[in-house]
Amino acid sequence: MSPSPRIKGWCPGAWRPMATGDGLLVRVRPPLGQLSCQQVVALCNAAETFGSGLIELTSRANLQLRGVSDASWPPLMVFLVEHQLVSDDPDAERQPQLMLAPAWQKGDDTHTIARLLQTRGSELATMPGKVGIAIDAGNAPVLVDSAADFRIERSTEGDLLVRADGYALGTAVSDTDAAVEQLIRLTHWFVATGGWDAGRMRRHTAPLPDWAPADTAPASPGEKLALGEHREGMVVGLPFGRVAANTLRNAVSQTVSSVQVTPWRRLLLQDCDTLPAVDGLIRHNSDPRLAMDACPGAPFCEQASVATQPLAEKLSGWVEGTVHISGCAKGCARQRPAALCLTGRDGRFDVIINGRADSTPQATGLSESEVIRYLESLGAL
């Protein structure tokens, strides 16, 4: 039996890159989830100059460069700081990840709360590296399926609320300032009651304090950004969250003022009038790859024993429902169950129906061709 995948317990950054199968992984957090066109072009140049030329969009709405070497990392950091893609203060990267609901507008509650948290970031408790905060204060929350430990959302009554992950209900607050104050207070409660041992809010067993009652329901979830026209521009998808730097550079060169990132492998190209006619992007909501999750796989990830994305491309459009192809049992690309999950183990695939990458498989040790024959025998293809 192969060893269990290593859970590193922290997320890579720019100042703290992570070693992977194809070199260092350098992750960039776009401030407020948005980059100017010039910054996107600079990131593309960085990917080609200092890395492998691949850019990935993560489920936490970060952008990451692959294939960076120990030698190329120092000049890369100089470049990223120069183009304001990374703070020159490494401590800034240690603050909790802020994930904003895409399509926010300047001055709305999501933007206002994010700016307040930027200003008061040093007041947040020092928490485990994977803890994140979702600012989802539009009319209907859209980040409900995205990982976050603390959330600021809209209630069914239209007011703001602060909700801890693992609780269906949250605490009503009066305004944006009160929301930020409540959130800061919750982070200190989390740490004081053993949050470091739990690692994540959803695993934290301490009862919520009296001043944070879980008694207010969030509004019903809204829709993710659809591909195509949007009031602020155009929305395009990245196949399996990955794009070549040159493809992205060509896309944003077509009258795009800025780009907002999403946790759904989609980019909002602001002030863009027409969909970019660029190969390597998804432009239609009917594209079956939108229902598929595939991690980088081998040889990009050192823990993956199989190549994932070639098989994902082969199965694209042939399997109904959600599909997850994972290089190992960690299941980084998707934490929720999928109708079909293929998990790599010892260079072959295990087949899991209606489960996660670490669920009990229905078939084990299959090659790519055997996977396809097995699915055909089930009538899945």
Side-chain angles (χ1 to χ4, degrees), residues 240 286-294 306-326 338-344 349-353 366-381:
F240 311 118
S286 59
D287 194 302
R289 290 173 292 180
L290 294 174
M292 305 181 75
D293 295 287
V306 294
T308 56
Q309 300 198 6
L311 181 56
E313 289 284 359
K314 289 180 183 178
L315 296 179
S316 177
W318 294 97
V319 179
E320 291 188 8
T322 53
V323 178
H324 179 196
I325 304 180
S326 182
L340 170 66
C341 181
L342 304 175
T343 300
F349 290 93
D350 293 344
V351 180
I352 298 162
I353 306 299
L366 305 184
S367 66
E368 269 197 19
S369 58
E370 289 170 338
V371 165
I372 293 173
R373 287 198 296 271
Y374 180 78
L375 295 178
E376 287 175 338
S377 72
L378 295 180
L381 293 183

Side-chain angles (χ1 to χ4, degrees), residues 53 60 65 82 138 190 222 234-235 248 268 278 292 303 310 328 331 380:
R60 285 197 165 190
L65 309 184
E82 178 185 346
F190 174 72
M234 292 285 173
V235 180
L248 182 57
L268 172 56
V278 178
M292 305 181 75
Q303 299 199 55
C328 72

Side-chain angles (χ1 to χ4, degrees), residues 74 85 98 112 121 155 179 189 208 240 260 270 272 285 336 359:
L85 290 163
L98 297 184
T112 299
S155 74
W189 160 84
L208 288 172
F240 311 118
Q260 283 193 10
Q270 295 180 290
C272 179
N285 291 297
R336 293 169 288 120
S359 299

